[in-house]
Amino acid sequence: MTARTPATTSPSTPPADGTRARDHDAATPRPSARTALPWLLPVAVVVLFALVGPWLAPHDPARITATPYDPGAGLPLGSDGDGRDVWSRFLAGGRPLVLVPLLATAVTTLLGTATGVLAGYLGGRVDALLSRLDTLLLALPPVLVLLVLMHGWGYRTLTLVTAVAVTGVPFVSRVARAATAQVVHAGYVDQAVALGDGPVAVMAREILPNIVRPVLADAGTRLAIAISLTAAAGFLGFGPDSPNWGAMISENMEGVTLAPWGVAAPALGLAVLTVSVNLALDRAIARFVP
């Protein structure tokens, strides 16, 4: 059996075995938890607020507690069109916009990365076929795909994940394919092939670790779109009667001049959640991903 010979690498050259070399340069230490805290804390607060909000609601989000569109009535944000407490519904409406988009983004990134690496490494007919499929899916408007799936399957987590994946996988695939094309002819890939590694081993051990950065950078965009589509499903009237920030905006538009917080609070929550999660992921990639 032929043993691999260790390759001499420089800081700008990936190691021969496809793994990432440790950085021994004392001038560029790894960021500590203390330096990461200032920019991780805001997104942690937003996500935690959305997750534990249902347990903090002072009233039952479905119970009528005041007259419709009453800006006072002893409620912090007034009441909605059915007389329900806007603050309680706001606290309970953020969880679906965190859990479902995270799952959808994970599925989309995994599928898109797999197809992109396959297309970039194998090339030829496989690349041509997957590229044409990507082009076809790129022409589909995300909201139209969401509407079709919602009418056919109803409001389910699987429906939302499928809608995000169908419209997002082509973008991830193109990013992964372009990144793969940049490393597919690198010396460490050729060495792995010469030593008898199969295509799956080469893609998993040599190529995938070296395209993590652009794939994760794109994942931030996929997450923002997943949050928007999940909120759009609620805004368009799909889903159960349980609170959802997107549904709250639609429900309270008629009385926005009487009780503006019914629309302003969920809209602000959506904006803060989307921006903070996206920025935090970008900063995490810049600091921790080589």
Side-chain angles (χ1 to χ4, degrees), residues 25 76 90 115 122-123 137 150:
D25 188 1
F90 175 74
T115 57
L122 298 179
L137 294 178
M150 285 291 178

Side-chain angles (χ1 to χ4, degrees), residues 176-190:
R177 181 188 178 280
T180 300
Q182 294 179 353
V183 301
V184 70
H185 297 299
Y188 55 89
V189 175
D190 293 337

Side-chain angles (χ1 to χ4, degrees), residues 45-134:
V45 170
V46 172
V47 173
L48 183 64
F49 179 82
L51 292 177
V52 305
W55 297 320
L56 303 177
H59 300 98
D60 182 354
R63 184 167 63 89
I64 297 176
T65 56
T67 56
Y69 297 127
D70 188 343
L75 304 176
L77 301 182
S79 61
D80 65 3
D82 293 327
R84 300 168 296 190
D85 180 15
V86 170
W87 175 241
S88 296
R89 292 182 66 79
F90 175 74
L91 288 174
R95 183 183 293 176
L97 297 173
V98 173
L99 299 180
V100 175
L102 282 175
L103 176 61
T105 302
V107 172
T108 301
T109 301
L110 289 174
L111 292 177
T113 302
T115 57
V117 172
L118 277 173
Y121 180 72
L122 298 179
R125 293 182 178 178
V126 174
D127 185 15
L129 177 61
L130 293 177
S131 295
R132 290 176 183 176
L133 181 60
D134 287 344

Side-chain angles (χ1 to χ4, degrees), residues 236-257:
L236 295 172
F238 294 99
D241 190 44
S242 57
N244 178 294
W245 288 348
M248 288 180 64
I249 296 174
S250 176
E251 293 167 354
N252 297 299
M253 285 297 294
E254 292 183 357
V256 65
T257 57

Side-chain angles (χ1 to χ4, degrees), residues 155-184:
Y155 184 94
R156 293 186 295 174
T157 300
L158 177 61
T159 308
L160 290 169
V161 171
T162 303
V164 173
V166 167
T167 57
V169 164
F171 291 96
V172 182
S173 179
R174 291 198 167 190
V175 170
R177 181 188 178 280
T180 300
Q182 294 179 353
V183 301
V184 70

